[in-house]
Amino acid sequence: MIESMTGYGRGEFSENELTVTVEIKSVNHRFFECQIKAPRQFSFLEDKLKSYIQSRVTRGKLDVFVNYSFDGASNDTVEINEDAVKGYIEAFKTVSKKYKIKNDLTVATLAKQDGIFSVSRKNIDEELAASVLLKAAEIAVDSFIEAREVEGEKLVADVIVRADNILSMVEKVEELSPKTVAEYKERLEKKIREVLENKDIDDQRIVTEVAIFADKVAVDEETVRLRTHIGHLKDLLASGEIVGKKLDFIVQEMNREANTTGSKCQDVNVTKLVVDIKSEIEKIREQIQNIE
């Protein structure tokens, strides 16, 4: 299924009182780029986590957030430095007595002093950490891919609507093209008659000039190729495969044919249609930037 490169997923898994949460956010990117933000205790697993995610996601700029907790207990252990506490209390007493000032020492004041408390993180078994993290990551990636598939369906639907709009306009261009040649022939005959004051006109010369003009403004090759590119575009979208880069190339070719058509057109109505076609192509290009 076609996936968007924009998405969000979250996974949580618990085992032996350890709970790990993995969150994944992504935006569009030409290649795969993954930035992992994890606690120090899980830093040794970052490469393994990135490899797993890359095995399931091929394109996009991903931010991955890892957090953990121990059920029913804090991750941190706070210890009091008894010797430091006693030392500060005695120091405050000495200052009060020596300089004859009130000793208004409080716990809050004492807590601000260096070395009173030491904080240590609870040790984590590495095998347990690896097992729980990867299971949480699997849930997160499943959720992430599901969100990207939902967004991908919306992108595909929008691109197909715009592709059909282009086909409708191409049909109008093809209808107007012969009319442009006929109008040119009529204007050419009128000018020649005015110059020659209704004298005999070389019909063969007019036919030749009209043929040259028709060849210059003919856009049938361009419209045929444009139809072919749109057909290929739809086939790729229907394939459900990873097609983002191929779609980029096809849209470039569609734009090339539209530009050539615009350079050939001699009719203001055709010009307007070409402008609208290029506008739809640009909107398609913007949309497929988000397709994996």
Side-chain angles (χ1 to χ4, degrees), residues 231-290:
H232 191 191
L233 178 81
K234 289 184 175 182
D235 289 342
L236 287 174
L237 292 174
S239 71
E241 300 175 355
I242 297 171
V243 295
K245 292 182 179 179
K246 292 180 181 179
L247 293 175
D248 283 339
F249 175 76
I250 290 175
V251 170
Q252 289 178 21
E253 294 303 305
M254 288 170 61
N255 197 56
R256 188 195 310 277
E257 302 303 336
N259 284 334
T260 304
T261 302
S263 66
K264 286 185 173 183
C265 67
Q266 301 288 323
D267 182 85
V268 65
N269 294 318
V270 175
T271 301
K272 290 179 180 178
L273 286 168
V274 170
V275 170
D276 291 339
I277 288 172
K278 292 179 66 175
S279 176
E280 289 293 275
I281 292 174
E282 178 60 22
K283 290 172 183 176
I284 290 176
R285 188 191 67 79
E286 291 174 357
Q287 292 289 55
I288 66 171
Q289 295 302 308
N290 288 318

Side-chain angles (χ1 to χ4, degrees), residues 114-208:
D114 292 337
I116 296 296
F117 301 112
S118 61
V119 181
S120 59
R121 305 287 290 193
K122 188 173 181 178
N123 292 329
I124 302 176
D125 179 83
E126 291 189 357
E127 289 186 8
L128 176 63
S131 174
V132 176
L133 173 63
L134 291 179
K135 289 175 181 176
E138 183 178 357
I139 297 171
V141 172
D142 286 343
S143 172
F144 173 71
I145 290 176
E146 183 179 352
R148 302 215 318 177
E149 287 176 347
V150 171
E151 184 64 24
E153 288 180 1
K154 296 178 182 178
L155 290 174
V156 169
D158 184 74
V159 169
I160 289 177
V161 168
R162 298 189 184 282
D164 287 339
N165 290 342
I166 292 173
L167 287 176
S168 297
M169 290 184 281
V170 167
E171 185 176 344
K172 292 178 182 178
V173 169
E174 291 171 336
E175 291 174 356
L176 290 172
S177 186
K179 181 181 177 182
T180 300
V181 175
E183 289 176 348
Y184 173 77
K185 180 176 181 294
E186 184 179 339
R187 291 197 305 270
L188 181 62
E189 287 182 343
K190 182 179 179 181
K191 288 183 179 180
I192 291 177
R193 292 185 187 281
E194 289 176 354
V195 171
L196 298 179
E197 296 180 354
N198 293 323
K199 293 180 181 179
D200 292 338
I201 300 174
D202 186 354
D203 291 334
Q204 186 58 44
R205 180 61 183 274
I206 293 177
V207 170
T208 302

Side-chain angles (χ1 to χ4, degrees), residues 31-47:
F31 308 104
F32 176 84
E33 183 177 320
C34 183
Q35 181 72 33
I36 296 176
K37 299 177 182 178
R40 179 180 55 80
Q41 288 80 354
F42 286 81
S43 59
F44 73 100
L45 292 169
E46 288 187 7
D47 288 341

